Amino acid sequence: MPAPPMVFPSDRTPLAAVHTGRRAHSARDAFTDDQRPYHLLTFSRLAPAFLALGLASQIGRAQTSVTHDTVTEARTQRDAGRLEPAARLLRPYVAAHPEQPQAALLLGETLYWLKDRAGARRVFESAIARHPSTIELRLAYGRMLVEIGDEARARELLEPLVGTRASRGRAETSLGMAAYWGGDHSTARRLFGAALAADSGIDEARTALRDILRTAAPRVQIGARSLRDDQPLDRTSMELRVGVHATPLMGISARVEPIRFQLDGGSTSRLTVIEGGVAGYIPAARTELDLAGGTVARDTSSAWIGRLGIGLRARGGLTLRARAERSQYLNTMASISTPIMVETFGTSLDWSHRSGWLAQASASRDLFPDDNSVSTGYVWILAPIARTAATEMHVGYAFTAQGAEESRYAIVSGGGSGPGFPSTTAGAYIPYYTPLDLRSHTALASIILRLGTHLTLRGGGGYGAAQEIGESVERRSAGPFQPPTDVIVRAPRTFFPWNARMSVDAALGEWLTLTASGESMRTAYYRASTLRVGLTQAFTTPSLRRLDRR
């Protein structure tokens, strides 16, 4: 029974008289608030709340539907290659829903693919600030930073994820790619190994690790080369080269090259080059090292050769290199019969950008035994005009300047002053070429074609216009009843140097590669053609076999 109704002191009228004095129109009107059954009283008080809850539920479902439709539609547009429409859908949505990291991730990736790197960074940085523990955000943004070269920020995001179950090797893979592209193959090898230990299905880590191990695999190269020019001078050689890697960053090589020269008139000359070297990279110091030494042995004499090179890799794809080298000069007929050792000191600044741009500026000085020297400076730049998985094309420009302190152009007359010289009066560079104030402008082009996985074609060349102080022999009369004399005269001359080259790399098996190349050129004082054929045999290693078993 319900509790008796409360009667206020001023209300003296019996409660029963109030209800019996009027007609009940409905079940609701038949009871006062205190006399209604409990279930009706509860419903009447909670009905507005139930209505509000139902309305909120409907609004929530509608919002979820809108969210699902917007993000799904944007992802569909992006995956179909329609990046601009996807970005237009996502920009206002992400601004209105900063609490949804997946939408920000999708927008950041889309902007990056649109090459709007600044916009992508703003989106990712804002989302990371709001959701610092979202693994997918950190992985996606970290990979983007690796690809654009911001390794420091990438490490801040990815290193805390190394070794975690949530990352499953993806953080190690991205950091490994940063090390791989930066030339630190030892660190890359370790990180890729850790990535595959966490998830053996990461194909990117497996492919990059295989490339590192194959590059460092022992190999033997056997080649033959033939050169012919119009001095006239013919040169043939055989080459045997062996290379091994003590670590992925340090290679050791040795080569032996017997060379035979055929001079005009049938005379021959032979020499043998023997050389060993070590080349490596120190990531902590960002330093390249190249050290080699050996000998050039002739029938009756020998001389030592060697080189030392140091390179410092800076940010932005820049590398500053310096080198010192002692080698034998073999570019003129006179230098074959008269051994000439030349000392070269040079420096260069190389630039290689991720977008495909390449450039170099170089200066060098050649010191000859007769206290003469030749200075050379050049710059070139190549711009990418096509870059796909199968094709790379570049065009560019080069400028060269050369000059010698003293000329070594001499008159060759009668029987000649050395084997192979013509019997008529002429001029020749004895014993080496000395350009005088040479300036050359050259247009460049190159192409790489990858025809499947087993065949690669490379081609290129240049055509230029050059001017120098030319030298020639002129016969002049000394006066009446005097025999004419030959004199060397100098005058500006213009010539058009060019070169064209092509090479083919064909994989004959997993470890055997055939290389064939050819080049023709026109230089300041002769024309030449070169042909080369070589075989490279690489050998598998225990590390590669273990990788294949994973």
Side-chain angles (χ1 to χ4, degrees):
M1 294 291 294
M6 180 180 293
V7 179
F8 291 97
S10 59
D11 188 356
R12 301 298 179 188
T13 307
L15 187 59
V18 175
H19 293 282
T20 55
R22 65 191 180 105
R23 183 168 173 260
H25 297 285
S26 66
R28 183 175 59 84
D29 294 332
F31 300 93
T32 65
D33 287 344
D34 292 307
Q35 289 177 315
R36 293 172 190 163
Y38 180 74
H39 64 279
L40 291 179
L41 177 63
T42 302
F43 176 80
S44 66
R45 290 179 175 176
L46 296 183
F50 281 122
L51 291 174
L53 182 60
L55 181 60
S57 176
Q58 293 293 331
I59 293 174
R61 283 195 294 270
Q63 289 178 338
T64 301
S65 177
V66 171
T67 298
H68 175 75
D69 290 343
T70 301
V71 175
T72 300
E73 175 62 20
R75 188 181 299 278
T76 301
Q77 295 276 11
R78 188 197 70 171
D79 293 346
R82 296 185 288 272
L83 301 180
E84 287 287 0
R88 284 195 296 269
L89 283 172
L90 288 168
R91 281 191 180 99
Y93 184 82
V94 170
H97 300 84
E99 76 283 356
Q100 296 186 19
Q102 290 301 322
L105 188 157
L106 188 62
L107 176 58
E109 289 181 338
T110 304
L111 293 177
Y112 176 52
W113 293 353
L114 282 168
K115 302 186 185 304
D116 182 5
R117 295 180 176 179
R121 292 192 72 147
R122 286 193 297 269
V123 170
F124 272 120
E125 289 288 355
S126 177
I128 289 288
R130 290 188 176 92
H131 311 280
S133 60
T134 302
I135 302 299
E136 294 299 328
L137 263 179
R138 298 173 75 94
L139 289 170
Y141 187 32
R143 182 51 187 260
M144 187 195 96
L145 293 170
V146 166
E147 293 181 0
I148 65 176
D150 190 350
E151 297 177 13
R153 178 59 174 148
R155 284 195 295 269
E156 290 179 9
L157 293 169
L158 297 175
E159 284 181 348
L161 303 179
V162 170
T164 63
R165 184 174 300 177
S167 169
R168 290 187 58 81
R170 288 179 291 172
E172 289 89 336
T173 299
S174 293
L175 291 171
M177 294 306 298
Y180 181 40
W181 292 334
D184 186 357
H185 288 185
S186 293
T187 299
R189 177 178 177 176
R190 174 178 56 81
L191 288 167
F192 289 141
L196 292 173
D199 184 356
S200 61
I202 303 180
D203 291 336
E204 185 180 35
R206 182 179 298 276
T207 300
L209 180 56
R210 172 175 284 276
D211 287 343
I212 292 173
L213 296 177
R214 286 180 64 92
T215 301
R219 65 195 60 234
V220 175
Q221 295 177 340
I222 301 175
R225 187 195 307 265
S226 174
L227 179 145
R228 173 170 294 186
D229 66 37
D230 59 0
Q231 295 185 71
L233 176 63
D234 293 343
R235 168 178 172 171
T236 57
S237 66
M238 298 290 294
E239 184 182 42
L240 173 64
R241 186 186 297 265
V242 178
V244 296
H245 275 73
T247 72
L249 292 175
M250 186 178 71
I252 303 171
S253 64
R255 74 180 180 101
V256 178
E257 184 179 11
I259 306 173
R260 179 181 181 272
F261 297 93
Q262 179 79 40
L263 306 177
D264 188 25
S267 59
T268 61
S269 180
R270 290 179 172 82
L271 61 84
T272 301
V273 179
I274 303 173
E275 184 182 61
V278 177
Y281 177 59
I282 305 173
R286 305 180 70 88
T287 300
E288 303 172 353
L289 293 175
D290 182 19
L291 178 64
T295 183
V296 176
R298 293 176 174 267
D299 296 335
T300 59
S301 64
S302 64
W304 69 272
I305 57 175
R307 69 176 181 273
L308 172 63
I310 299 176
L312 299 176
R313 298 184 186 179
R315 302 291 182 183
L318 290 172
T319 302
L320 178 64
R321 294 184 172 93
R323 65 186 177 94
E325 184 175 5
R326 188 175 193 263
S327 60
Q328 181 157 359
Y329 184 91
L330 297 169
N331 294 335
T332 63
M333 290 172 52
S335 66
I336 305 305
S337 57
T338 304
I340 302 172
M341 303 307 297
V342 56
E343 296 175 355
T344 301
F345 300 91
T347 183
S348 67
L349 181 63
D350 298 83
W351 180 54
S352 176
H353 196 265
R354 293 176 182 269
S355 62
W357 284 81
L358 303 169
Q360 185 184 82
S362 175
S364 64
R365 190 175 183 85
D366 297 327
L367 305 178
F368 292 91
D370 57 359
D371 294 330
N372 194 18
S373 65
V374 175
S375 299
T376 303
Y378 63 84
V379 295
W380 58 261
I381 185 168
L382 288 173
I385 59 174
R387 293 186 75 203
T388 67
T391 305
E392 291 184 32
M393 296 181 64
H394 289 80
V395 295
Y397 163 80
F399 172 75
T400 304
Q402 274 190 314
E405 288 188 1
E406 300 176 4
S407 173
R408 291 298 180 263
Y409 192 79
I411 296 174
V412 181
S413 60
S417 61
F421 290 115
S423 59
T424 58
T425 301
Y429 290 100
I430 301 175
Y432 54 88
Y433 170 62
T434 50
L436 297 180
D437 195 25
L438 184 148
R439 301 288 185 272
S440 176
H441 303 268
T442 306
L444 306 174
S446 69
I447 185 171
I448 300 176
L449 299 176
R450 300 179 181 90
L451 307 178
T453 59
H454 299 290
L455 188 64
T456 301
L457 304 179
R458 292 179 173 85
Y463 186 86
Q467 188 174 52
E468 70 168 347
I469 303 300
E471 297 178 283
S472 60
V473 176
E474 183 176 298
R475 178 158 291 187
R476 293 180 177 178
S477 175
F481 310 107
Q482 297 291 327
T485 59
D486 296 322
V487 296
I488 296 175
V489 296
R490 294 180 179 178
R493 77 177 183 106
T494 298
F495 63 99
F496 301 94
W498 56 267
N499 76 302
R501 63 189 182 278
M502 177 173 286
S503 68
V504 179
D505 293 325
L508 303 182
E510 184 178 4
W511 300 101
L512 183 63
T513 303
L514 171 66
T515 301
S517 62
E519 182 176 11
S520 290
M521 68 184 76
R522 165 74 164 91
T523 71
Y525 63 98
Y526 68 90
R527 297 186 181 186
S529 297
T530 303
L531 294 174
R532 183 184 183 277
V533 177
L535 282 172
T536 301
Q537 175 67 60
F539 301 92
T540 187
T541 63
S543 298
L544 277 166
R545 289 192 289 269
R546 285 194 297 269
L547 177 64
D548 291 337
R549 288 195 296 266
R550 285 186 177 179

